[in-house]
Amino acid sequence: RDLSVSVNGGVIVGLLGGSGSGKTTFAQHLNGLLRPTQGRITHHGREVPKRLSHLRRKVGLVFQFPEAQFFEETVAADIAFGPRQLGLSDSETEQRVRWSLSEVGLLPESFMARSPFTLSGGERRRAAIAGVIAMQTDTLVLDEPTAGLDGESRDILMDLFRRHRERGGTVVLISHDMDLVAELADDLIVLCEGELAGNGTPHDLLGDPEQASRLGLELPRTMVLRALLHERGWRLPAILTESELLQSLHIGEIH
């Protein structure tokens, strides 16, 4: 309701809010799975047309728990499904499959011929995401992509999102993991009951405990640690990430 936001290119945007706030509904509008009943959505300055094939070549959507959507007998065949719909040749499709598996940290030679149903939980999640990035869309929209993953798989996906941003792509990341959001996001969009509750940088919205509480957001662990140190007389600047904490300790910003 009365929701007006812009997402720039070459950034990672955290899409936040409590359960039922409208995050997934909003995300499904970004590649036309849902259409607005009022207002309009534009992509690169042009209103999204009724024919959505062009938009879906530009915006890739990864649902929560995408590993539940495997339907082919091998990992390679599942990843290849999307590129084949683009009309790519067999050689081009295989290149996309190998590239996308490498991007998510899975060796093509070891995983292409395997059944997706024999993979571990973290491997299935990464292979499912490979099926979306194989489309090489400008924008990736991901719903809780790191939920339930081990530390290694989580770090691999974080690196993938950073590389996509470095190539000029955009990532819209739905997450309840404030540590992940603080580490990755350039901007945040916070929803509450279908309305825009907050929009700004992580430091704007998470660096102030009162502001974060008003928005119904948990604090990153570093901010919790900062508050505990503050109670004991230590003074640190607003720190959101582990790297910022280490830098503060290293350069002696504690007073």
Side-chain angles (χ1 to χ4, degrees):
R1 295 190 299 275
D2 300 321
L3 177 61
S4 179
V5 294
S6 296
V7 177
N8 296 319
V11 297
I12 297 177
V13 177
L15 181 57
L16 312 179
S19 298
S21 61
K23 302 184 300 298
T24 298
T25 300
F26 173 78
Q28 290 181 10
H29 280 77
L30 298 184
N31 79 336
L33 282 179
L34 295 177
R35 305 301 300 273
T37 53
Q38 297 181 25
R40 65 195 187 110
I41 296 174
T42 63
H43 181 256
H44 288 280
R46 296 183 177 181
E47 188 164 359
V48 172
K50 292 182 179 179
R51 295 185 64 185
L52 298 169
S53 58
H54 177 73
L55 179 66
R56 290 174 180 166
R57 292 170 184 251
K58 299 294 184 181
V59 181
L61 177 61
V62 180
F63 291 99
Q64 193 171 5
F65 304 117
E67 60 271 24
Q69 299 163 208
F70 288 120
F71 58 91
E72 293 281 7
E73 293 184 358
T74 67
V75 170
D78 209 282
I79 296 173
F81 180 83
R84 290 192 191 284
Q85 309 315 303
L86 300 178
L88 300 184
S89 66
D90 288 346
S91 62
E92 291 172 319
T93 297
E94 183 177 349
Q95 288 177 3
R96 291 278 187 101
V97 171
R98 289 180 174 275
W99 171 80
S100 62
L101 280 170
S102 298
E103 283 287 288
V104 299
L106 299 176
L107 289 174
E109 293 76 11
S110 301
F111 286 91
M112 287 177 65
R114 289 183 61 178
S115 165
F117 305 104
T118 66
L119 306 182
S120 70
E123 290 168 347
R124 286 200 301 271
R125 178 74 57 79
R126 286 148 60 187
I129 291 174
V132 176
I133 67 172
M135 300 289 285
Q136 294 188 355
T137 58
D138 298 334
T139 300
L140 291 174
V141 183
L142 304 107
D143 194 346
E144 298 284 3
T146 62
L149 293 184
D150 57 45
E152 179 185 8
S153 295
R154 182 178 182 273
D155 290 345
I156 288 171
L157 291 184
M158 289 175 68
D159 288 340
L160 166 66
F161 304 150
R162 290 188 181 104
R163 288 195 302 274
H164 189 73
R165 174 177 58 188
E166 289 169 1
R167 291 192 289 261
T170 300
V171 178
V172 178
L173 189 65
I174 299 175
S175 183
H176 287 93
D177 185 342
M178 293 301 104
D179 296 313
L180 176 76
V181 169
E183 190 72 40
L184 286 178
D186 302 294
D187 296 299
L188 302 180
I189 296 170
V190 185
L191 302 182
C192 180
E193 296 183 354
E195 296 182 333
L196 182 66
N199 190 193
T201 69
H203 273 280
D204 291 337
L205 303 186
L206 300 177
D208 180 348
E210 292 185 3
Q211 168 87 322
S213 177
R214 182 182 67 80
L215 294 171
L217 303 177
E218 295 184 3
L219 291 175
R221 288 177 298 175
T222 51
M223 286 293 290
V224 175
L225 175 60
R226 176 179 180 266
L228 292 172
L229 293 173
H230 184 81
E231 292 175 359
R232 289 160 176 77
W234 296 44
R235 298 292 183 267
L236 289 104
I239 49 174
L240 297 184
T241 68
E242 292 181 7
S243 59
E244 289 176 349
L245 174 62
L246 293 173
Q247 184 180 20
S248 294
L249 296 172
H250 179 69
I251 64 177
E253 288 190 10
I254 296 179
H255 304 291

